Amino acid sequence: MTATTHTTQGSHAHFDADVVIAGAGPVGLMIANYLGHCGVEVMVVEKLDTLIDFPRAIGLDDESLRTFQAVDLAEQVLPHTTPMHAMRFLTPKGRCFADIQPNTDEFGWSRRNAFIQPLADKVLYDGLARFDKVRVLFSRDLQAFSQDGEGVSLTLAGPQGEERLRARYLVACDGGNSLVRRTLDISFDGKTAPNQWIVIDVRNDPLGTPNIYMCCDAERPYVSAALPHGIRRFEFMVMPGETEEQLSRPEELQRLLAKVLPDPTRVDVIRQRVYTHNARLAGEFRRGRILLAGDAAHIMPVWQGQGYNSGMRDASNLAWKLALVVQGLAGDELLDSYQQERRDHARAMIDLSVTAGHVLAPPKKWQASLRDGISWLLNYIPPVKRYFLEMRFKPMPQYHQGVLVEPTPKLKQSPVGKLFIQPKVRLGEQVLLLDEVIGRRFAVIAWGTDPTYGLSAEELAHWQRLGTRFIQVVPSVQLQAEASLAEGVIRIGDESGRLKEWFGRYPASIAVLRPDRFVAGIAIPQTLEPLCRQLRQVLKAKNQPQQAPAAARKVA
């Protein structure tokens, strides 16, 4: 496709797309899938001529799988994962001093999974074929852009020369060296690690053992990770004086692999590459009609596998807000909440990744000895052991500002701003995960009561306009009894008791969930109306949606 130039006359702009996404990496592809479901017209522009096909990220968490689920692609990506993937930190003598075996599934999926990123990215790319209004333009190098009060104009270098596009919004998913971020002169604060690591990916796994091992060897720390489809990843610290060219020689690769394999000559190497680990965070995630996401907004060391997952959190947070704004259901100010909600958590994940790197390879030798001694003791203290086993050290996203309303009086342990659980529920004869009942929507979910009872007809109409699902939850055994429900209310059964347990922890029987499954507010029937009014204010919801501008609009 060749893009054309569209002009602006007065206040009536003509657009090639509602949203242009720069970069066909996983974050850009995920956002495009979500917007495609919502009927938003999207163009993804990518400077390469195809998707990157070599292994990169290897860790996929439950939040990311829930995001795949939101775009109906979880079942397609699961065959390329290894669920319940344990992570073990070893001393130089092979003693395991931290065994992370996250076996919880509170969000509906395995907490930690190994995966093959190119295959997951292909699932996302193939998923775009479902949408007539989403296009991917490969071999398009973004050269320049500018924005005004109505949209963003872009100049691309394509196979047939210069091309121009105009869109309402630009989402920059163009990587850690983001042209968009640099052009906007947005800071990218942080540090570059003093050491480098060489990654060696091999086929026909020569070890075959499951899970991931991080060996804190003072001479040369290394990582050995089992991946799906018989792929093994080895990572070795690059020592002072060594170069990528030197370490890439067959004899040098064999020397490194001799630390972990009895016969390093019998390996099927896919690739090897030297990486520098950066920990950086953009000063802004939004500048007018331009938003940064993924590596363009933050990059972090690999040690907790959170680079990919943090990008998926960006996509999950941003996509539904963009959809509402483009559909004319919410004001542009809603997009300010993207930075409010995501930046602090991205910083926390960077800090966690840096800390994990220091555990694996402490800057000082005495720190390694101290680590080994303390870890030996702490491993015998049950609460500490559970802390590692259940990955409680991982900072879960919790928003304190943005699209939420805190309860009054404030709770010491509030669920507002946290991700809602996803247990299995019964709907008729089917047992489903909760999100399959809700869809890509807001939800007002009530334990045992009518979720519409506390709402006036006017307020109910406002939330229906947003496509909200109203759900009553009861113990599954009660589904056999007849119930009189308001029109449009869905009645589901709590199969495992997890929903009853969740509501039992708080002084509330109703939770208002956002499309990304974060709790926007809690209430009882008598306080639901004022809560919903406040939420519409922070949502910048419009009483009457504007006329759909470029694409046929729908709430997915």
Side-chain angles (χ1 to χ4, degrees):
M1 170 196 170
T2 301
T4 57
T5 303
H6 285 67
T7 60
T8 302
Q9 297 179 349
S11 61
H12 301 287
H14 300 276
F15 298 94
D16 299 284
D18 295 318
V19 178
V20 165
I21 298 171
V27 180
L29 295 173
M30 180 61 79
I31 294 173
N33 271 277
Y34 193 101
L35 295 177
H37 273 296
C38 298
V40 174
E41 193 164 12
V42 181
M43 280 188 181
V44 182
V45 295
E46 169 56 53
K47 67 179 179 180
L48 300 178
D49 58 5
T50 187
L51 298 180
I52 295 176
D53 63 354
F54 55 78
R56 291 173 291 161
I58 61 173
L60 188 70
D61 67 15
D62 48 354
E63 296 171 69
S64 293
L65 274 175
R66 199 171 184 181
T67 304
F68 272 91
Q69 180 188 3
V71 296
D72 300 331
L73 293 175
E75 294 302 321
Q76 288 87 330
V77 79
L78 282 177
H80 308 305
T81 70
T82 302
M84 306 298 180
H85 205 234
M87 176 186 289
R88 291 168 180 155
F89 285 81
L90 307 179
T91 67
K93 294 182 178 180
R95 179 178 64 83
C96 176
F97 67 86
D99 189 356
I100 302 169
Q101 298 192 41
N103 294 322
T104 57
D105 63 352
E106 62 186 307
F107 300 130
W109 303 97
S110 161
R111 175 60 57 90
R112 185 181 179 89
N113 309 268
F115 83 123
I116 304 295
Q117 183 180 337
L119 298 178
D121 291 355
K122 187 174 186 303
V123 166
L124 288 170
Y125 174 69
D126 291 345
L128 297 178
R130 299 172 291 176
F131 312 116
D132 294 336
K133 296 182 181 298
V134 178
R135 287 169 285 176
V136 181
L137 309 180
F138 287 106
S139 303
R140 262 67 170 196
D141 190 12
L142 178 60
Q143 300 286 299
F145 61 89
S146 62
Q147 63 175 315
D148 53 40
E150 294 183 316
V152 184
S153 300
L154 303 96
T155 302
L156 313 175
Q160 300 177 18
E162 184 178 282
E163 301 175 8
R164 294 185 180 178
L165 295 176
R166 184 154 171 82
R168 297 179 183 277
Y169 292 94
L170 168 64
V171 182
C173 303
D174 54 340
N177 195 36
S178 169
L179 170 75
V180 176
R181 188 194 64 245
R182 289 186 286 110
T183 302
L184 293 173
D185 197 25
I186 293 175
S187 64
F188 207 38
D189 302 320
K191 296 180 179 179
T192 298
N195 47 47
Q196 295 179 310
W197 291 72
I198 184 169
V199 170
I200 306 170
D201 289 324
V202 301
R203 301 181 188 88
N204 302 310
D205 188 343
L207 286 178
T209 55
N211 303 312
I212 178 170
Y213 297 86
M214 307 182 79
C215 187
C216 307
D217 187 338
E219 293 183 4
R220 190 190 295 268
Y222 66 87
V223 176
S224 174
L227 303 181
H229 311 319
I231 293 176
R232 168 75 56 171
R233 169 165 293 185
F234 296 107
E235 301 184 24
F236 300 93
M237 181 183 281
V238 176
M239 307 311 289
E242 295 177 330
T243 66
E244 182 169 8
E245 180 182 5
Q246 172 192 346
L247 292 177
S248 297
R249 296 170 187 160
E251 63 273 17
E252 289 297 318
L253 288 178
Q254 291 171 18
R255 180 174 65 86
L256 291 174
L257 293 172
K259 289 178 70 73
V260 290
L261 296 174
D263 186 355
T265 64
R266 296 175 56 196
V267 291
D268 185 0
V269 176
I270 300 173
R271 64 150 195 161
Q272 69 278 336
R273 184 173 178 181
V274 170
Y275 283 96
T276 299
H277 293 153
N278 292 286
R280 298 189 179 274
L281 182 67
E284 302 171 57
F285 284 17
R286 182 189 185 194
R287 177 77 63 83
R289 291 180 170 268
I290 301 171
L291 301 113
L292 308 181
D295 286 355
H298 44 72
I299 51 177
M300 59 196 70
V302 302
W303 307 123
Q304 285 298 311
Q306 288 302 309
Y308 186 97
N309 296 300
S310 291
M312 289 294 104
R313 293 186 194 102
D314 292 347
S316 178
N317 186 288
L318 177 59
W320 68 270
K321 297 173 181 176
L322 262 178
L324 287 181
V325 172
V326 169
Q327 290 165 337
L329 293 169
D332 174 87
E333 309 95 305
L334 173 61
L335 299 178
D336 290 337
S337 67
Y338 167 58
Q339 174 173 305
Q340 288 178 326
E341 295 176 350
R342 282 295 306 133
R343 193 169 180 274
D344 286 348
H345 186 259
R347 185 196 304 276
M349 298 313 301
I350 290 171
D351 292 344
L352 173 65
S353 298
V354 170
T355 299
H358 288 163
V359 171
L360 177 61
K364 307 289 184 181
K365 286 188 177 182
W366 66 264
Q367 294 171 334
S369 300
L370 181 65
R371 171 205 62 205
D372 295 346
I374 292 177
S375 66
W376 183 83
L377 287 173
L378 294 182
N379 205 39
Y380 289 92
I381 303 175
V384 174
K385 195 167 186 177
R386 287 196 302 273
Y387 180 78
F388 284 102
L389 287 176
E390 298 173 12
M391 284 184 71
R392 295 183 187 180
F393 56 84
K394 174 187 170 186
M396 295 303 297
Q398 180 171 13
Y399 307 142
H400 299 285
Q401 56 181 338
V403 185
L404 54 88
V405 173
E406 290 283 4
T408 305
K410 286 190 175 182
L411 301 178
K412 188 174 182 180
Q413 294 292 329
S414 172
V416 174
K418 294 182 179 179
L419 197 61
F420 195 67
I421 61 173
Q422 187 186 195
K424 290 183 178 179
V425 297
R426 181 169 292 277
L427 179 65
E429 298 299 318
Q430 294 180 293
V431 174
L432 307 168
L433 286 170
L434 178 61
D435 290 3
E436 297 175 69
V437 177
I438 299 174
R440 288 169 291 276
R441 305 167 183 263
F442 289 93
V444 178
I445 182 166
W447 174 261
T449 64
D450 184 336
T452 67
Y453 176 74
L455 296 178
S456 65
E458 180 183 8
E459 193 63 33
L460 180 61
H462 285 308
W463 286 90
Q464 288 173 332
R465 189 176 297 120
L466 291 171
T468 305
R469 279 267 159 87
F470 294 90
I471 299 172
Q472 180 194 55
V473 187
V474 297
S476 290
V477 293
Q478 292 184 16
L479 291 175
Q480 300 174 42
E482 292 187 9
S484 178
L485 295 174
E487 183 180 355
V489 173
I490 299 172
R491 193 168 190 243
I492 62 174
D494 182 16
E495 281 287 284
S496 61
R498 288 186 176 183
L499 287 166
K500 177 176 177 289
E501 179 187 0
W502 190 93
F503 281 103
R505 291 200 295 265
Y506 310 108
S509 58
I510 301 173
V512 180
L513 307 186
R514 310 177 342 172
D516 59 2
R517 304 299 179 260
F518 278 80
V519 179
I522 57 175
I524 60 174
Q526 292 186 346
T527 59
L528 181 60
E529 172 101 0
L531 169 66
C532 286
R533 283 200 304 266
Q534 288 179 276
L535 281 174
R536 281 196 297 111
Q537 291 175 0
V538 297
L539 263 172
K540 313 301 179 185
K542 297 184 177 180
N543 292 341
Q544 295 295 330
Q546 298 174 341
Q547 183 177 359
R553 305 300 182 211
K554 64 179 180 179
V555 177

